[in-house]
Amino acid sequence: MAEIEPIADQVTSYFYALLFLRHPELRDLFPAAMNTQRDRLFKALLTAATHADDTATLTTYLTHLGRGHRKYGTRPEHYPAVGEALIGALTRYAPAVWGPRTEAAWVAAYTAISQIMIDAATEDELRSPAWWQAEVVAHEMRTADIAVVTVRPDQPYPFLAGQYTALETPWWPRVWRHYSFASAPRSDGLLSFHVKAVPAGWVSNALVHRARPGDVIRLGPPAGSMTVDHNSDNGLLCLGGGTGIAPIKALVEDVARHGRRRTVDVFYGARENDGLYDIETMLRLRQSHPWLSVRPVLDDAPGGLPTGGLPDAIREHGPWHTHDAYLSGPPGMIRRGVEALMGVGIPTHRIRHDSIEELVGATT
């Protein structure tokens, strides 16, 4: 790992060159433009290999990947081809340490990795489709670059508040991006997502600026563990940044639905006022539920709102030692938020967040 890290781009390029040269039929499983996808598969393999001796962590990580890869059309017979390309790339670019013993270790690790993913996909195939078709039934622009998109799946879609899924649009086949559910499960079966168009974001720009009612998108399976333990009496401390407020809103609805009067404190963070696009919804929830508090937090806020960002706001209120913490938002916000939460005494096992990228660090 130390030898290939400085030249990871070269190793990744060679890996895909081998894969597509020897197995050209696999090219159709990948998007036309590989600039984003290019790093994901290779890094996932390296992440898994790093934790090859931690069976519990490895199984959790790879079970999610194995189920998620069904939506790409991945089949058991594809795994040997990927392993062959992986070993070929490592053989070429790690000559200083490569040898029979190292190769045997990598072959054993990849064999274990692939089997866990195959088993997870096979089990999942018995109870759910590889993807769901979903018709857009509502499209509401909240700001110039944020839309709330509501869809109706073609069959029941089971999920928990706080989870997320992957979306694919008809305009960019085989390009999937992750979005959190913006509500708890609804009786009408509809699903809502908060989407912000970002520069060069193929899926986000399509969903915000192109999608309209009647369009059909695809959904992957639900994923994520940022869910509420309803057997606990702990309060909830929720930090949502930007469109990260979507799963926080879902968690609030979930607590309300279960009818237990647990305190829920929401800090809604943004860089500027436009980022608080859903504040009215959150304030209406606060009016309906006396156990809920909602505090808007701007990094540079006029008009008397809290300043200094979410970490300062957390430290100014509290105490939080009886709360479970939930974070959703940009990676930088999550990192700062975790540090602040640990700083006020919340242990790591009571801090929940999901990195909305498949390549989660398996130790988080």
Side-chain angles (χ1 to χ4, degrees):
M1 297 291 286
E3 188 171 6
I4 66 173
E5 187 174 8
I7 53 171
D9 285 348
Q10 297 178 51
V11 185
T12 305
S13 296
Y14 190 76
F15 164 78
Y16 280 109
L18 282 180
L19 183 64
F20 296 151
L21 179 65
R22 296 175 180 175
H23 303 276
E25 71 280 5
L26 297 185
R27 184 63 181 86
D28 289 341
L29 300 182
F30 294 84
M34 291 282 292
N35 58 329
T36 300
Q37 177 63 35
R38 192 178 71 92
D39 294 338
R40 286 189 171 181
L41 175 57
F42 191 72
K43 285 184 177 178
L45 293 171
L46 298 185
T47 298
T50 301
H51 297 277
D53 294 327
D54 184 350
T55 302
T57 298
L58 184 68
T59 300
T60 299
Y61 175 63
L62 292 175
T63 296
H64 165 60
L65 282 186
R67 291 170 177 167
H69 274 63
R70 289 183 61 211
K71 65 180 179 291
Y72 298 111
T74 305
R75 303 296 304 164
E77 58 267 24
H78 297 150
Y79 283 89
V82 173
E84 176 187 326
L86 172 67
I87 298 301
L90 295 176
T91 302
R92 179 181 177 91
Y93 284 97
V97 298
W98 198 260
R101 183 168 175 268
T102 305
E103 181 170 342
W106 275 93
V107 169
Y110 181 77
T111 300
I113 289 168
S114 58
Q115 194 59 55
I116 292 172
M117 294 181 69
I118 290 170
D119 290 346
T122 300
E123 180 184 353
D124 194 59
E125 192 171 2
L126 298 176
R127 59 174 182 260
S128 66
W131 61 77
W132 286 253
Q133 303 277 11
E135 180 185 357
V136 177
V137 296
H139 187 284
E140 177 190 356
M141 295 296 297
R142 291 291 185 87
T143 71
D145 59 0
I146 295 177
V148 176
V149 181
T150 301
V151 303
R152 178 185 292 112
D154 61 345
Q155 53 187 303
Y157 188 99
F159 74 99
L160 299 175
Q163 289 190 305
Y164 62 89
T165 187
L167 305 184
E168 179 204 47
T169 72
W171 304 285
W172 297 106
R174 299 182 299 281
V175 179
W176 297 78
R177 294 294 181 268
H178 293 101
Y179 295 96
S180 296
F181 300 103
S183 69
R186 295 166 47 166
S187 59
D188 59 11
L190 298 181
L191 310 172
S192 292
F193 305 93
H194 294 188
V195 184
K196 180 175 182 179
V198 297
W202 295 358
V203 174
S204 66
N205 277 283
L207 289 172
V208 172
H209 298 303
R210 190 165 182 175
R212 292 295 179 267
D215 291 330
V216 176
I217 65 174
R218 291 205 293 183
L219 310 175
S225 58
M226 200 181 75
T227 55
V228 176
D229 177 6
H230 292 290
N231 294 317
S232 170
D233 292 324
N234 291 343
L236 274 64
L237 171 59
C238 301
L239 282 61
T243 53
I245 198 63
I248 300 301
K249 172 176 169 287
L251 293 176
V252 172
E253 293 178 356
D254 193 34
V255 172
R257 177 172 299 179
H258 278 74
R260 298 181 62 189
R261 296 177 63 85
R262 300 170 64 178
T263 61
V264 180
D265 292 86
V266 174
F267 290 84
Y268 184 0
R271 293 186 180 276
E272 52 191 22
N273 277 316
D274 278 356
L276 300 174
Y277 66 93
D278 209 34
I279 188 63
E280 294 301 324
T281 302
M282 299 305 300
L283 293 177
R284 285 196 297 271
L285 285 171
R286 185 183 66 181
Q287 291 175 351
S288 302
H289 306 298
W291 41 261
L292 173 64
S293 71
V294 177
R295 297 181 178 92
V297 181
L298 296 182
D299 286 342
D300 185 17
L305 291 174
T307 59
L310 289 174
D312 283 355
I314 295 168
R315 288 186 285 265
E316 290 170 6
H317 297 82
W320 306 116
H321 61 277
T322 61
H323 285 63
D324 295 330
Y326 296 80
L327 301 91
S328 179
M333 185 224 88
I334 291 178
R335 284 193 296 270
R336 294 190 301 273
V338 169
E339 292 174 358
L341 292 168
M342 293 174 63
V344 297
I346 300 181
T348 55
H349 70 272
R350 297 214 326 257
I351 301 175
R352 300 188 182 186
H353 64 87
D354 285 314
S355 170
I356 319 238
E357 297 187 13
E358 287 186 351
L359 304 180
V360 293
T363 57
T364 58

